[in-house]
Amino acid sequence: MMPDISTILEVLLIFVKVGVVTMILFGLPLPLTWLERKIAGHIQVRLGPWRVGPHGLLQPFADMIKLLFKEDIIPDKADKFLFKIAPLLSMVPAFAVFVAVPFGDKLMIPFINKEVTLYISDMNVGVLYILAISGLGIYGLILGGWASNSKYALLGGLRSSAQMISYEIAISFAAIGVVMIANSLSLVDIVNDQGNGILSWNIFYLPVGPVWFMIFFIASLAEINRIPFDLTEDEGTLASGFHTEYSGMRFAFFMLAEYIAMVTVSILSVIFFFGGWHSPLNIPLPIPPIFWLVAKVAAFIYFFMWIRFTLPRYRYDQLMTIGWKVLIPISLVNILITGLLRI
Amino acid sequence: MEQIFFYIFSILAIISAVMVVSVRNAVHSAFYLIVCFLQVAAIFILLRAPFLAAVQVFVYVGAVMVLFLFAVMVLDIGKEQFKEHLHTQAIPAIVTVIALFATMGYLVSQGRITVPLGKFTEEALSKNTEVIGKSLFTQYIFPFEVVSLLLLIALVGAIVLVLKEKKGKQA
């Protein structure tokens, strides 16, 4: 049985979309590392990278060449199989999340007159899928930390597993709140629910919207292991946590996964609370919707970097207290209020 | 096409399930259990149950297995201990598997187990989550509440266990 031509085209289109998204994601960490170091430099009254290329613009490429040619050291007493596979375990879920992330609604392609959707798949379990898959990245950290057979790496892995479990609950509650407001688990529906200008964005769904956003934001900071919650790679006490023993490309894979996780969280914040690709004012302007999405996501990424170089790190017990005794009770109360508002 | 995928997933699931009980290292078996759960989730998608698949990944792979790994690492189960443990369970396990296969074979050959393919409606496919949610909160509200009560009891139980331990240390 031969499938007809339109089915083949559909499948091809999906392959093209997946390819494009993957390429963009592989490329993104290059400008992001440069930005992060520049922002760090300027916040700390330094210049940041300066020597390779104008304004250090070629620094990421220099880093890439260094990482590619660095010896890939596998410790003698490490568990070889898990040590080798762990970086992939943390990288693959980070990419897989983007299957369900919408970058826009439909788009007419001018020459072939065909409508193309700017997402790979609009699942009816989109939110669940993203939460589930992004949670899998943790295995790279845990198994990598364990397989290194080093106490620092093991402690880093253990910390990250406890941290992940605690904050995943808060993130899921925040997602439930958004789902309750939008009445749908599909991300496209969630965005289209916020289409009527800035006041219809979920962050302005008073009084619960801002609270959900704070919960989501704090918990996602902890999920992606960034300061002030980067206890898994606390260099003051743990050398550098779970990736202490990694070098070369395997280390680069962990870093890649971390940057992509940051992008994911930024996009999710924009989709959940800041109206996705809709413009803040409900006036027809000749600006494509994708511009708004990228601009908002970029603002969020900058915000994450800004926080990283401004706040100190929390103590481990404080981290657990915030997760279990502050965020979760607030979420429970907030769910009740949201439910009452939605009746 | 679907059948090919089904065979890929199920063969991988069976291989990884066998690996779970045959490898010597507890962390390795946890890893293979994760692989097995993921294959089961894939089979759920083939069965047109995306909600179940997502929940399978979210709850079993995402939360339960992290806790498993956490416990295994903290307890640091020795390799030899693990081997012995497996050894004592081999015979009962084989007996159980044979009994299970015998029962299933009997039921299938008698035609008691039928595959409900083709029974799902278009609505149940496109609005899978909604349909499940509605039936959970209307038709199956009583079992649902009973299960949530059980979970609450387990939660309270866990907290009570930890509290007692702390008191013992202080005394």
Side-chain angles (χ1 to χ4, degrees), chain A residues 322-338:
Chain A
I322 295 171
W324 288 97
K325 296 184 183 165
V326 180
L327 289 185
I328 293 177
I330 293 179
S331 310
L332 287 171
V333 174
N334 219 20
I335 276 198
L336 201 67
I337 300 173
T338 317

Side-chain angles (χ1 to χ4, degrees), chain A residues 78-284:
Chain A
D79 187 309
K80 302 274 183 317
F81 171 60
L82 286 181
F83 189 85
K84 283 179 187 164
I85 209 173
L88 294 178
L89 284 181
S90 84
M91 200 176 74
V92 171
F95 280 87
V97 166
F98 279 82
V99 170
V101 172
F103 301 98
D105 218 337
K106 295 180 179 67
L107 186 77
M108 283 298 271
I109 291 191
F111 298 109
I112 50 172
N113 245 346
K114 199 177 177 312
E115 231 180 16
V116 177
T117 51
L118 282 178
Y119 40 82
I120 298 172
S121 153
D122 177 26
M123 304 181 204
N124 57 13
V125 287
V127 175
L128 272 177
Y129 172 84
I130 284 184
L131 290 176
I133 299 292
S134 61
L136 298 187
I138 183 71
Y139 286 114
L141 275 62
I142 304 179
L143 292 173
W146 179 82
S148 303
N149 210 351
S150 133
K151 52 187 171 244
Y152 297 128
L154 178 66
L155 278 174
L158 279 180
R159 277 184 179 186
S160 69
S161 58
Q163 183 174 332
M164 202 72 149
I165 287 277
S166 318
Y167 280 85
E168 209 154 69
I169 303 173
I171 275 206
S172 311
F173 271 131
I176 288 177
V178 174
V179 169
M180 282 168 88
I181 296 172
N183 259 338
S184 173
L185 276 173
S186 143
L187 289 166
V188 177
D189 290 350
I190 288 175
V191 173
N192 285 335
D193 190 54
Q194 311 172 51
N196 297 316
I198 193 163
L199 286 176
S200 70
W201 292 0
N202 281 340
I203 180 105
F204 292 111
Y205 193 85
L206 298 169
V208 286
V211 183
W212 281 133
F213 173 66
M214 281 320 292
I215 293 169
F216 184 82
F217 189 74
I218 294 172
S220 46
L221 267 180
E223 281 271 298
I224 59 174
N225 294 323
R226 283 184 74 87
I227 282 182
F229 301 113
D230 70 333
L231 274 299
T232 54
E233 41 189 286
D234 177 355
E235 61 274 351
T237 50
L238 286 186
S240 60
F242 67 92
H243 58 63
T244 307
E245 306 289 340
Y246 280 91
S247 60
M249 272 327 271
R250 292 185 204 283
F251 170 74
F253 284 162
F254 276 127
M255 283 296 108
L256 191 66
E258 210 161 277
Y259 274 104
I260 292 176
M262 186 168 75
V263 176
T264 311
V265 164
S266 308
I267 291 189
L268 277 188
S269 310
V270 170
I271 287 175
F272 280 173
F273 298 100
F274 288 87
W277 52 82
H278 293 298
S279 72
L281 296 171
N282 212 1
I283 312 164

Side-chain angles (χ1 to χ4, degrees), chain B residues 13 25 40 53 57 74 85 92 114 120 133 137 141 146 151 163 165:
Chain B
N25 192 315
V40 174
V57 175
V74 173
H85 195 60
T114 50
F120 51 78
F137 281 99
I141 182 76
V146 170
L151 285 176
L163 272 184
E165 219 164 72

